[in-house]
Amino acid sequence: MRLYGFNNLTKSLSFNIYDVCYAKSSSDQLEYIKYIDSQYSSERLTNILYKLTDMIGARVLNVAKQDYEPQGASVAFMIADSTREETDDETPEIIVGHLDKSHITVHTYPEFHPETSIATFRVDIDIETCGEISPLHTLDYLIGSFDSDIITMDYRVRGFTRNVDGEKLFLDHDITSIQDFIDEATLDIYNATDINVYQANMFHTRMMIKELDITNYLFNTNAFELSQTERDEILDNLRKEMIEIYSGKNIY
């Protein structure tokens, strides 16, 4: 596709995951928060974003990262299209203008339910790119980088660019669903729902894990020390938490 000038399309991917677990006591819940902060510190999140930036063919221009008290972390990357050539006489104004449209951010939100002993860890990753950079091919990497029980993804292409004949182009790649860019082996372990507005180039997909193995959801608790009744109750509370997050509303 030959364009007239620079590709002005803006592609936005908002990737949101939830990891849910059972932390029985108040001390376990506080320890869970500390564990999450150590596992997903700003340093590790920065390394994930470096890999992500490399995968979409972009260059890192600036990094800002922060670990928060009492919990949570944030990282922001300013990036540029790696296919864009630079010259020695390039002016700062061009670079600054380019930064306004290209960035990656990640924020973490660990928290716990005060009554059901359910702890939830949320990660928000937003990728805003322009030009030929597309963030959709990073989805398998992002899903695999976190323990993802519930995933919500929003992808939108905004603006327009022109071809050499002056015709407006509102989309420069084929897409019918975000699921088209996720490996089938990954999709097999999730229930997935799409809400797409094709006329506006807006795509939404939400996913929830199908099978729960209780040993993967216990924090500081041995599954073999629990009765079957306790196991069933914990699994029921975990599934209810996931369904409400997946549905985006209080149900139970």
Side-chain angles (χ1 to χ4, degrees):
M1 183 184 300
R2 295 182 61 198
L3 302 180
Y4 177 81
F6 183 69
N7 189 332
N8 291 312
L9 288 173
T10 299
K11 299 157 189 172
S12 303
L13 174 66
S14 179
F15 177 87
N16 176 242
I17 74 103
Y18 294 85
D19 172 41
V20 181
C21 85
Y22 175 80
K24 184 176 182 179
S25 65
S26 298
S27 59
D28 285 341
Q29 292 165 2
L30 294 175
E31 193 171 336
Y32 168 78
I33 297 294
K34 292 180 180 178
Y35 167 77
I36 288 296
D37 278 343
S38 65
Q39 288 296 302
Y40 297 102
S41 65
S42 63
E43 189 66 29
R44 184 185 177 193
L45 295 173
T46 298
N47 292 332
I48 291 175
L49 293 197
Y50 268 118
K51 174 67 175 178
L52 185 70
T53 303
D54 183 63
M55 292 176 69
I56 63 175
R59 293 179 295 110
V60 176
L61 301 177
N62 184 60
V63 177
K65 58 185 178 180
Q66 179 66 47
D67 290 296
Y68 296 106
E69 292 293 342
Q71 69 248 2
S74 297
V75 180
F77 274 35
M78 292 297 185
I79 61 175
D81 189 341
S82 63
T83 62
R84 182 170 177 262
E85 295 182 358
E86 292 185 0
T87 59
D88 293 336
D89 59 352
E90 202 166 25
T91 63
E93 288 79 12
I94 294 176
I95 298 174
V96 171
H98 193 68
L99 293 184
D100 289 341
K101 296 183 180 179
S102 300
H103 63 266
I104 304 175
T105 62
V106 56
H107 305 280
T108 65
Y109 305 89
E111 59 90 41
F112 53 84
H113 193 291
E115 297 176 358
T116 62
S117 299
I118 301 298
T120 305
F121 169 54
R122 179 173 123 234
V123 179
D124 291 342
I125 296 179
D126 290 286
I127 309 171
E128 184 98 2
T129 66
C130 59
E132 298 179 5
I133 296 175
S134 176
L136 290 171
H137 298 287
T138 66
L139 290 175
D140 287 319
Y141 171 71
L142 286 173
I143 294 171
S145 295
F146 303 95
D147 294 324
S148 307
D149 293 317
I150 304 102
I151 306 167
T152 61
M153 294 163 285
D154 293 282
Y155 180 68
R156 183 179 181 185
V157 181
R158 295 173 292 164
F160 65 90
T161 193
R162 295 181 187 273
N163 64 17
V164 291
D165 296 321
E167 180 184 5
K168 296 183 184 70
L169 301 171
F170 296 92
L171 194 63
D172 64 352
H173 60 290
D174 294 329
I175 177 173
T176 57
S177 167
I178 294 175
Q179 295 186 52
D180 297 340
F181 296 86
I182 301 175
D183 187 84
E184 289 187 8
T186 301
L187 290 174
D188 283 343
I189 64 175
Y190 289 93
N191 291 311
T193 302
D194 279 352
I195 303 174
N196 300 321
V197 184
Y198 296 110
Q199 298 89 340
N201 291 328
M202 298 172 61
F203 306 87
H204 171 82
T205 296
R206 66 182 70 170
M207 301 163 58
M208 180 172 64
I209 198 163
K210 293 178 182 177
E211 303 294 334
L212 302 186
D213 181 349
I214 193 170
T215 58
N216 295 331
Y217 293 90
L218 299 178
F219 185 80
N220 283 352
T221 299
N222 190 328
F224 299 102
E225 296 176 355
L226 299 172
S227 66
Q228 188 60 51
T229 300
E230 289 175 312
R231 292 188 187 191
D232 291 341
E233 182 180 355
I234 292 170
L235 285 173
D236 184 59
N237 285 333
L238 287 167
R239 180 55 79 184
K240 286 179 177 178
E241 181 82 354
M242 292 182 189
I243 290 173
E244 289 191 336
I245 295 172
Y246 182 75
S247 304
K249 60 183 178 180
N250 293 306
I251 298 175
Y252 302 100

